[in-house]
Amino acid sequence: MELVHRPRRLRNGDVIRRMCRETRLSPDSLVYPIFVEETLSGKQPIESLPGQYRYGLDTVEEGIAQCVDAGVSSCILFGIPAHKDALGSSAWDPKGVIQQAIGKIKARYPDFYVITDVCMCEYTDHGHCGALCGHEVDNDQTLELLAKTALSHAVAGADMVAPSDMMDGRVAAIRHTLDEAGYQNIPIMAYSAKYASAFYGPFRSAAGSAPSFGDRKGYQMDPHNRKEALKECALDVEEGADIIMVKPALSYLDIIRECSDAFEVPMAAYSVSGEYAMIKAAAQAGLVDEYRIMCESALSVFRAGANILITYYAKELAAAIQKGDIG
């Protein structure tokens, strides 16, 4: 048979397949989530996230050391404070858990890139992402709290802040506050299209951030909506976001692609706790090859258009990239 086009020619062997790959991964694109608990001594396994830990302030450097050894050069910090109140005042305390963690990390690993999650849900006694007015989050009052929190992280030495609250106008408020205080060079990675997803359950258990009443559908996005994600990203870029994010990743690959194509800023995606836990559970049951599923899932996110992936598998993926199994 006379065939002019034979695509299989470029699949015939590992070398040619790697040479012709359209999507390439690097450990530099991976961000590892780290939970720091103020009252904890040592580290504690997170039951809902097998293989992950809460770190005390006395062991947070251990988590960073493991990242460095694996070739991962950045993390995103989530704090679990000793004190919670209605406004989440521990979030901007200069001696708060995240502020102390940044100091400890930077003292030992000054070049390690530290991103901080900026939200109130882990710090409020009601578990919602801002100050309440009755049973609703007061958007505009919350902006002031978020801006104070972001500034306190920058003062403590954070390299980047990442507001995850989904309040309207929070990027502009944070950018203005950082600039006024002389932190013009601190970038903002906005959780721009953060959906009200069922995939967050294990995280809320890990961070102790489940709302005490109601849910977050009033401020997180409806999973039915696509155009709204483009609107949210456009607003964040207009307000000064340096990086935009889609969260979760796997169920929203179409959104990652559309937003990546539409905006000339880097695109991040968060492979969230439920995605990680499902792979772990299926692997434990002997239903899937965990290593291959991990690699394929991450690859799909980058192929969809992400430049940065926040993932609990960051260390394992970095090793897989270095081995040439993915990347």
Side-chain angles (χ1 to χ4, degrees):
M1 182 179 294
E2 295 186 5
L3 293 177
V4 175
H5 300 289
R6 291 182 180 269
R8 287 179 58 189
R9 293 182 188 127
L10 302 184
R11 305 174 196 154
N12 189 23
D14 287 343
V15 173
I16 189 67
R17 284 197 295 270
R18 285 198 287 267
M19 185 187 300
C20 297
R21 281 176 176 168
E22 300 172 25
T23 305
R24 298 188 181 273
L25 281 63
S26 165
D28 295 332
S29 304
L30 303 171
V31 179
Y32 184 59
I34 293 182
F35 299 91
V36 188
E37 184 171 354
E38 189 169 7
T39 60
L40 179 65
S41 178
K43 65 179 184 178
Q44 181 182 71
I46 300 173
E47 186 176 348
S48 61
L49 292 170
Q52 305 302 313
Y53 295 87
R54 291 191 188 97
Y55 292 91
L57 287 165
D58 59 341
T59 55
V60 67
E61 298 104 315
E62 178 184 333
I64 303 301
Q66 292 173 359
C67 288
V68 172
D69 290 344
V72 175
S73 56
S74 60
C75 73
I76 183 166
L77 296 179
F78 298 92
I80 306 166
H83 169 73
K84 299 187 179 191
D85 59 32
L87 293 181
S89 61
S90 293
W92 62 84
D93 185 340
K95 296 182 179 180
V97 59
I98 290 299
Q99 291 80 355
Q100 291 189 66
I102 295 167
K104 287 181 172 292
I105 292 168
K106 288 296 186 178
R108 185 166 175 185
Y109 298 98
D111 296 327
F112 194 85
Y113 201 84
V114 177
I115 306 167
T116 58
D117 179 78
V118 177
C119 194
M120 312 309 298
C121 61
E122 296 136 64
Y123 301 89
T124 57
D125 53 14
H126 45 76
H128 280 280
C129 298
L132 295 181
C133 180
H135 278 64
E136 299 291 332
V137 174
D138 186 324
N139 188 98
D140 293 7
Q141 183 183 359
T142 298
L143 299 185
E144 180 184 349
L145 309 184
L146 295 167
K148 287 200 297 186
T149 299
L151 178 58
S152 75
H153 292 177
V155 171
D159 297 293
M160 179 188 292
V161 294
S164 62
D165 54 285
M166 289 300 288
M167 297 297 114
D168 295 337
R170 87 273 204 212
V171 172
I174 291 170
R175 183 74 276 156
H176 175 76
T177 297
L178 291 175
D179 290 356
E180 285 257 304
Y183 292 93
Q184 297 93 336
N185 292 327
I186 297 295
I188 297 173
M189 177 169 65
Y191 288 63
S192 299
K194 180 179 179 180
Y195 284 86
S197 172
F199 284 97
Y200 301 149
F203 174 93
R204 290 175 181 172
S205 172
S209 63
S212 60
F213 63 89
D215 55 39
R216 297 179 178 141
K217 292 178 181 177
Y219 39 101
Q220 294 178 357
M221 282 184 52
D222 186 337
H224 296 77
N225 293 356
R226 177 182 61 85
K227 292 180 181 179
E228 187 184 11
L230 291 164
K231 178 181 178 180
E232 289 281 8
C233 288
L235 288 169
D236 283 354
V237 171
E238 182 181 336
E239 291 177 16
D242 301 282
I243 300 169
I244 54 177
M245 185 200 301
V246 172
K247 179 184 179 183
L250 286 180
S251 291
Y252 299 88
L253 296 175
D254 58 323
I255 307 300
I256 295 171
R257 167 50 59 198
E258 288 209 50
C259 294
S260 176
D261 287 345
F263 302 102
E264 297 296 326
V265 296
M267 168 61 66
Y270 196 145
S271 185
V272 299
S273 60
E275 297 167 10
Y276 174 85
M278 285 196 306
I279 295 173
K280 282 288 187 182
Q284 187 175 11
L287 300 175
V288 300
D289 181 327
E290 180 181 1
Y291 185 79
R292 290 185 62 193
I293 291 287
M294 171 192 74
C295 291
E296 188 174 341
S297 298
L299 177 59
S300 74
V301 179
F302 285 101
R303 192 180 62 243
N307 309 106
I308 300 162
L309 178 61
I310 303 171
T311 171
Y312 301 94
Y313 276 124
K315 293 177 288 188
E316 294 86 350
L317 282 167
I321 292 168
Q322 291 159 357
K323 286 172 60 179
D325 292 340
I326 183 176

